[in-house]
Amino acid sequence: MNFNLDGPTYIGNTPSDFAITRITVNGEVYSTDCFAIDSDKGSITIANTSDLPVGLYSLSISCYSSGKYYEFKDILTINMMKSVPDGITVEPNKIEVEYGDIIDEESTEILPTAQVKTDGNHISIRKYIIANVRKDGALIENKDFFAISATGEISVVKGQTGIQPGKYVLDLKLTTAVVDEEAEEGIFANALEIDITSKPLSLVYTPNSVRTEVGTGNVSVSPEFIGSVDDLVYSIKSKSPSTAPISIDPTTGVLTLDANNSLAIDDKCEVTVTATNKFGTADFENVYTINIVAFIHPIDNFSYNNTEDFIQATAFEHSVAVIDGDEVSYSFVNLPEELSALTIDSHSGKITATKGNSIPVGSHTVTVLAKNSKNEKQASFKLNVAKNPYYFTYIHWGNNLNLAPAKAYASQHRVNSKAELLALSIPVAETDLPNDVKVIWEVATESFSGGSTQIDEHGTLTFTGGWIDAKCFVVVVSATTGKGTAGEITVKTPVFVDCSAAIKGITVSYTPFAFQVNPRTGGNSVAPVITGAADQSQFLMDYRRTFNFYNINGPASHLDGQPTVKTSFMYSIWAAYFNAIGSSSVNTGARAPLSYYDNIGKTSIPAAFVNNTDLSVVVNPDKWKDDAGFANGVMIGQMTYATNGNPSSIGGGEKIFPLAIWFDTKF
């Protein structure tokens, strides 16, 4: 496999003399020439990997900046996996999509898809995941532009306004099994190329208006361009005044005002640029303005004050104290990696960090470069971060299912009778709560009826009722420290309880019964253990009704409730399903959006379903979201089952709630 990684982003002066100083595999030093780095740009090439051992590779990189040597240990990790077996293809392996058809949700144009296929019957594919997406050769983090179904159909997600034209290449991670062998994961590199095409759509220079001293020249920044870059050429359509000696680089779009010009004070030069590519031409009127002034003041004074003590993990901002100079731009100088949560406004110099940032406690030196056409100056200040006495990140209530390590699973406890539920006491098992800090404990949400959950001053949960045969419940606990102070921290955590009981002699047990899944990538739960069924080959099960969603840390617009409530998050899931099948109405009483038997042959469409082969629950990728974002919460829905092998009997079968699905993009 061959793979290219773009050079790093950086803050401050341009680094150079990049070198790979160490390579490790699973923590052990390893020597290979399969990794190469461009000494000037820092881009990395991975080639000839067929003989590399499988494992987690870590690369340490060094560089020089402003004459100083820097080394970043284990800054890049690469999970080198086996290739998929021969005989797996994607057909077609290249598709072309018009940008306008993607971003317009109302478009009736059917977008092309591609299908993962196997050659013959000796290979089966159990799971499909989009592993990497590269745009025009650069790795991008957002994989949500594309989806792959449980049957291996790859599609472009309609309505993704954040997508941009360009060539996208997808790598797939497939779980495959060759006949008579164990299933294993493998990488299908460069599986599909998707060319998203468009004429020139946008051209922006930042800044788009500058001041230049009379008798001097000006060089613009490169513009930000949106559109296909195939055969892209820039040209000047018009300029005012027409005699201004302004030229454009046809490849980069950089505009240059010649220093030998006769422009006078208060003249204004406006430039209209034409961009032409393979798919069309567009004019961008007056996209860059040069204002001629008598004098650009050099930077004489520039400083920041040292900060007050900002509290750990809280939001803050810090502005320039003194600046004397015109047309100043600001940037960090050699910002330490531990301060990477800081951002700087290049025009105002204001430095900010968001709530929840990971900047360490202590006093940190921050250096900023102020620069204009005359000169540049640096200013340093102390960023002081005080320990937040209320800071914590997690609470866990353990499990009684022998699931280990406990923190890898949701907090979950199974009881087998009403008496066991009433006797159940669940103390906090593990937490990083600070000692001797007051904690305000609250039951934020519970699916038990009648306020049956109690929580004491130590966070111990007990129950006064709520038992229902064969039903699992969720309790969302809110823990707050530092209430009313700048350092206030609140963490919400779900705790699950399964009231396990036989229904007409049959028990369905998922272990774990709280299924943690990333809504972006989807996944499969464990298969349940069925006890009491006379003939398990005749046991059929499907989702049926009473689908409740409980928001934990998702967008505020993801309201709790069932699909019948039009403002609820679940209604949006139902609406997306019925839109996908071409229905003009939303049947909120239907099971279809979570049903296998209503989607035979098209199981990539429902948001989730009970797999008919082993009764595990399949959550399809990229379904549990709306315009506000991905789900972060819990869904519990009723399943029904039949024991006669007849699918038509399932809907009227016995009713159970054996599984809770907990969505979080961190899983």
Side-chain angles (χ1 to χ4, degrees):
M1 182 184 80
N2 294 335
F3 196 86
N4 295 312
L5 294 173
D6 275 2
T9 58
Y10 57 88
I11 299 172
N13 293 334
T14 304
S16 61
D17 296 326
F18 289 93
I20 298 173
T21 58
R22 188 180 72 159
I23 300 171
T24 63
V25 183
N26 300 326
E28 299 293 328
V29 175
Y30 186 77
S31 178
T32 177
D33 58 2
C34 293
F35 301 95
I37 191 166
D38 186 300
S39 61
D40 294 323
K41 300 177 182 178
S43 56
I44 294 174
T45 300
I46 307 171
N48 304 319
T49 61
S50 57
D51 294 328
L52 284 180
V54 172
L56 189 65
Y57 287 71
S58 296
L59 274 62
S60 298
I61 308 293
S62 68
C63 67
Y64 284 87
S65 180
S66 300
K68 294 182 179 180
Y69 176 81
Y70 296 88
E71 184 174 9
F72 304 91
K73 293 188 181 298
D74 300 330
I75 192 172
L76 178 65
T77 57
I78 301 162
N79 188 8
M80 196 67 66
M81 302 176 66
K82 291 182 179 180
S83 298
V84 295
D86 292 338
I88 297 177
T89 60
V90 173
E91 297 180 11
N93 61 1
K94 292 183 180 181
I95 59 176
E96 186 174 290
V97 190
E98 165 59 37
Y99 172 77
D101 293 332
I102 298 173
I103 64 171
D104 182 7
E105 288 189 275
E106 304 301 320
S107 171
T108 58
E109 186 72 21
I110 298 175
L111 303 184
T113 61
Q115 179 67 47
V116 180
K117 294 187 176 182
T118 60
D119 181 12
N121 298 318
H122 67 293
I123 302 171
S124 64
I125 303 178
R126 309 275 180 87
K127 189 174 182 180
Y128 305 81
I129 293 176
I130 296 174
N132 301 304
V133 177
R134 294 182 295 282
K135 177 182 180 290
D136 299 326
L139 194 67
I140 64 172
E141 292 186 6
N142 195 338
K143 303 173 188 175
D144 304 333
F145 300 148
F146 311 102
I148 188 166
S149 73
T151 58
E153 183 182 65
I154 305 170
S155 58
V156 181
V157 179
K158 186 170 283 193
Q160 289 280 357
T161 55
I163 199 168
Q164 292 188 1
K167 286 185 170 63
Y168 294 79
V169 175
L170 278 59
D171 299 332
L172 304 180
K173 182 166 71 172
L174 307 178
T175 302
T176 62
V178 179
V179 172
D180 297 328
E181 294 185 15
E182 293 291 326
E184 60 181 15
E185 289 185 334
I187 288 291
F188 187 174
N190 305 320
L192 175 65
E193 179 182 303
I194 302 174
D195 189 4
I196 298 176
T197 65
S198 82
K199 66 180 183 180
L201 299 173
S202 173
L203 185 72
V204 177
Y205 292 85
T206 304
N208 63 355
S209 180
V210 297
R211 294 190 298 165
T212 298
E213 188 173 306
V214 65
T216 64
N218 173 265
V219 178
S220 77
V221 297
S222 296
E224 295 179 12
F225 173 78
I226 297 178
S228 293
V229 296
D230 293 347
D231 304 330
L232 176 62
V233 176
Y234 299 101
S235 61
I236 293 176
K237 180 179 183 181
S238 65
K239 52 190 176 182
S240 174
S242 59
T243 56
I246 300 174
S247 60
I248 191 169
D249 185 308
T251 303
T252 65
V254 171
L255 293 162
T256 301
L257 170 65
D258 196 313
N260 296 318
N261 65 76
S262 58
L263 295 169
I265 296 171
D266 294 331
D267 278 352
K268 177 188 288 187
C269 299
E270 294 180 322
V271 184
T272 295
V273 173
T274 297
T276 302
N277 66 12
K278 182 179 178 180
F279 303 96
T281 296
D283 298 327
F284 300 94
E285 188 172 354
N286 298 334
V287 288
Y288 194 70
T289 301
I290 304 172
N291 300 284
I292 307 301
V293 298
F295 185 66
I296 294 293
H297 291 273
I299 301 169
D300 292 326
N301 296 304
F302 171 46
S303 66
Y304 288 85
N305 294 327
N306 293 333
T307 73
E308 59 188 24
D309 282 349
F310 293 129
I311 298 175
Q312 175 191 17
T314 60
F316 62 81
E317 59 182 39
H318 191 55
S319 298
V320 174
V322 177
I323 182 68
D324 293 329
D326 294 332
E327 298 296 295
V328 179
S329 63
Y330 301 87
S331 61
F332 288 123
V333 177
N334 299 326
L335 188 71
E337 186 177 359
E338 63 185 7
L339 303 182
S340 60
L342 294 177
T343 59
I344 188 168
D345 186 303
S346 62
H347 301 299
S348 70
K350 180 183 287 186
I351 296 168
T352 57
T354 58
K355 183 176 176 62
N357 68 76
S358 58
I359 297 172
V361 171
S363 183
H364 309 277
T365 299
V366 179
T367 302
V368 175
L369 175 71
K371 184 177 182 179
N372 68 7
S373 60
K374 291 292 185 70
N375 65 336
E376 60 184 50
K377 283 186 178 294
Q378 292 187 8
S380 296
F381 67 92
K382 291 294 184 182
L383 171 65
N384 299 304
V385 179
K387 181 176 176 59
N388 185 346
Y390 309 111
Y391 183 73
F392 73 104
T393 59
Y394 77 96
I395 306 172
H396 202 274
W397 280 264
N399 68 77
N400 65 355
L401 303 174
N402 295 319
L403 298 170
K407 271 186 66 179
Y409 298 89
S411 303
Q412 53 195 296
H413 292 258
R414 176 171 285 146
V415 290
N416 298 297
S417 68
K418 181 178 180 180
E420 280 190 27
L421 175 64
L422 296 178
L424 183 64
S425 177
I426 312 176
V428 172
E430 192 174 352
T431 182
D432 61 349
L433 275 164
N435 295 325
D436 303 321
V437 167
K438 180 181 178 181
V439 183
I440 299 175
W441 301 93
E442 293 180 283
V443 174
T445 303
E446 63 172 324
S447 60
F448 283 104
S449 61
S452 304
T453 307
Q454 307 295 315
I455 190 164
D456 69 12
E457 69 273 17
H458 304 295
T460 298
L461 292 165
T462 55
F463 305 88
T464 60
W467 171 275
I468 296 177
D469 288 353
K471 186 170 185 177
C472 66
F473 297 87
V474 63
V475 177
V476 179
V477 177
S478 170
T480 300
T481 55
K483 183 72 173 179
T485 71
E488 179 178 326
I489 299 289
T490 296
V491 172
K492 291 182 179 180
T493 309
V495 181
F496 301 89
V497 177
D498 179 22
C499 296
S500 178
I503 302 295
K504 293 192 175 179
I506 294 177
T507 304
V508 178
S509 297
Y510 290 86
T511 304
F513 64 87
F515 170 31
Q516 299 177 140
V517 65
N518 186 328
R520 179 181 283 114
T521 59
N524 291 59
S525 77
V526 297
V529 173
I530 312 296
T531 55
D535 184 353
Q536 293 203 14
S537 68
Q538 298 297 300
F539 187 91
L540 307 177
M541 190 164 67
D542 202 2
Y543 272 114
R544 179 62 186 94
R545 59 176 71 84
T546 320
F547 303 102
N548 272 295
F549 181 77
Y550 306 92
N551 191 5
I552 299 177
N553 293 307
S557 60
H558 286 188
L559 300 182
D560 294 359
Q562 298 184 25
T564 51
V565 180
K566 279 199 171 184
T567 55
S568 72
F569 175 66
M570 288 302 287
Y571 178 85
S572 69
I573 301 300
W574 256 239
Y577 171 84
F578 283 103
N579 179 64
I581 64 172
S583 173
S584 59
S585 61
V586 179
N587 183 353
T588 57
R591 70 178 183 178
L594 264 68
S595 170
Y596 168 80
Y597 288 98
D598 287 355
N599 294 283
I600 294 175
K602 52 178 181 177
T603 53
S604 64
I605 298 178
F609 61 91
V610 179
N611 191 321
N612 71 314
T613 57
D614 64 358
L615 305 181
S616 64
V617 170
V618 177
V619 171
N620 274 327
D622 213 41
K623 298 289 187 182
W624 292 85
K625 67 175 186 179
D626 61 10
D627 290 342
F630 282 98
N632 184 306
V634 173
M635 195 286 295
I636 300 175
Q638 185 190 85
M639 298 179 189
T640 53
Y641 65 80
T643 58
N644 60 4
N646 184 357
S648 64
S649 301
I650 299 173
E654 302 303 326
K655 307 174 184 66
I656 57 175
F657 294 82
L659 186 75
I661 304 176
W662 179 11
F663 299 98
D664 192 325
T665 54
K666 294 179 182 177
F667 294 144

